[in-house]
Amino acid sequence: MQLKTANNYLLLTERIGKKPMLRTRFTAQAYFVFGALLDLMDQGVLTIDNSIEVKDQSKFDNLPTYLDGLKNRILEEIKKKGSLVQSLDLITSWDIANEIYDGVGAELLNDKLVEKKSVKTNLDTHTIYLPTDEARKKVVNYLREQMLSDKVEVPAISLVVIFEQMDALKWLFTDKEELNTLTETFQQNDSKTPLYKKEKALAKTAQDIITKKKFWFDSWLS
């Protein structure tokens, strides 16, 4: 099973720079896990409404092993019978983010869409899956074509929802006129669809969780 939203998110987001995005940046990691959840919901594995539930047990049981940590956390949340906010807090797990990153990264490496790098930061040495320029460009073009289409693929909708919430589309499409055209066309075609509305609401909830957790980290570290 391919996590297309998570795959494309990694190809668009991962950078080395001073801090590798999906190894050290909390917000980038959390949206990465959120993208994987949207993939599982879009593929009929999970239901995410007032809480997270398993929709198809067979598909859930046969997910790749790198999702074991995520699966265990989901089952824990189901047992707790908590609210959606409580259940979605799992997107802020460093361990889950790194497990998914290693799994998705290995798949992309096998497809020759990334290069495996060893990067040393002040605190640790990280294994990074750095997208090739060609792979990154291909995903940008894919997203451009999808945003202009009147029949947008579900993973593209999920990807746009995430980048809208992060206010990051402007970093993918640096020409303001083009970005305006893409955004307006996409909104005209998809803003009223049930899927977009649902995922947009989930993304807002995810943002609230991420923001609160960041404040908690800041207060704890200060």
Side-chain angles (χ1 to χ4, degrees):
M1 177 179 288
Q2 285 283 323
L3 302 179
K4 192 166 183 180
T5 304
N7 285 7
N8 286 337
Y9 178 87
L10 188 155
L11 292 173
L12 291 176
T13 304
E14 184 62 287
R15 302 287 195 279
I16 297 296
K18 294 181 179 179
K19 294 184 177 181
M21 295 295 291
L22 295 179
R23 285 299 196 195
T24 60
R25 295 294 180 94
F26 171 75
T27 298
Q29 279 191 326
Y31 278 113
F32 179 55
V33 179
F34 178 67
L37 284 180
L38 292 185
D39 280 323
L40 296 180
M41 182 183 74
D42 294 337
Q43 294 179 35
V45 181
L46 302 176
T47 298
I48 308 178
D49 290 307
N50 296 324
S51 61
I52 300 177
E53 299 290 343
V54 176
K55 182 176 182 179
D56 188 313
Q57 191 65 52
S58 178
K59 287 183 178 180
F60 185 80
D61 292 340
N62 288 288
L63 288 173
T65 55
Y66 65 80
L67 294 176
D68 283 352
L70 176 63
K71 289 169 59 179
N72 291 336
R73 180 65 183 273
I74 288 172
L75 293 175
E76 289 175 8
E77 297 303 328
I78 290 174
K79 288 180 181 179
K80 293 177 184 177
K81 296 182 179 180
S83 66
L84 177 62
V85 171
Q86 292 169 325
S87 298
L88 276 183
D89 186 68
L90 62 83
I91 67 174
T92 64
S93 167
W94 295 90
D95 289 338
I96 291 174
N98 282 308
E99 288 166 3
I100 297 175
Y101 182 80
D102 285 328
V104 169
E107 291 177 348
L108 294 173
L109 182 66
N110 188 57
D111 293 336
K112 298 181 179 180
L113 298 175
V114 298
E115 297 174 349
K116 197 172 183 179
K117 303 283 187 179
S118 182
V119 179
K120 188 174 183 179
T121 65
N122 292 336
L123 299 176
D124 204 353
T125 299
H126 301 279
T127 297
I128 304 302
Y129 294 96
L130 183 66
T132 65
D133 291 340
E134 183 180 353
R136 201 189 305 274
K137 183 178 180 180
K138 186 175 181 179
V139 179
V140 172
N141 287 336
Y142 162 77
L143 196 59
R144 177 184 288 112
E145 291 169 0
Q146 287 294 308
M147 291 181 75
L148 291 173
S149 173
D150 57 358
K151 294 182 180 179
V152 185
E153 295 178 1
V154 171
I157 292 176
S158 299
L159 197 61
V160 171
V161 164
I162 292 173
F163 277 90
E164 281 182 335
Q165 198 63 51
M166 298 175 71
D167 191 26
L169 285 173
K170 61 189 177 186
W171 304 116
L172 300 180
F173 306 105
T174 55
D175 184 289
K176 291 184 179 180
E177 186 174 342
E178 180 189 25
L179 178 57
N180 288 338
T181 299
L182 291 172
T183 302
E184 290 172 4
T185 303
F186 180 84
Q187 288 293 326
Q188 288 173 3
N189 291 334
D190 294 279
S191 62
K192 295 181 181 179
T193 63
L195 177 64
Y196 177 79
K197 288 182 178 180
K198 179 173 184 176
E199 296 199 352
K200 189 69 173 176
L202 289 174
K204 179 61 172 64
T205 301
Q207 182 189 51
D208 292 342
I209 292 168
I210 293 167
T211 301
K212 289 179 181 178
K213 186 61 71 73
K214 286 180 68 177
F215 278 130
W216 182 85
F217 281 145
D218 289 344
S219 64
W220 182 74
L221 291 171
S222 61

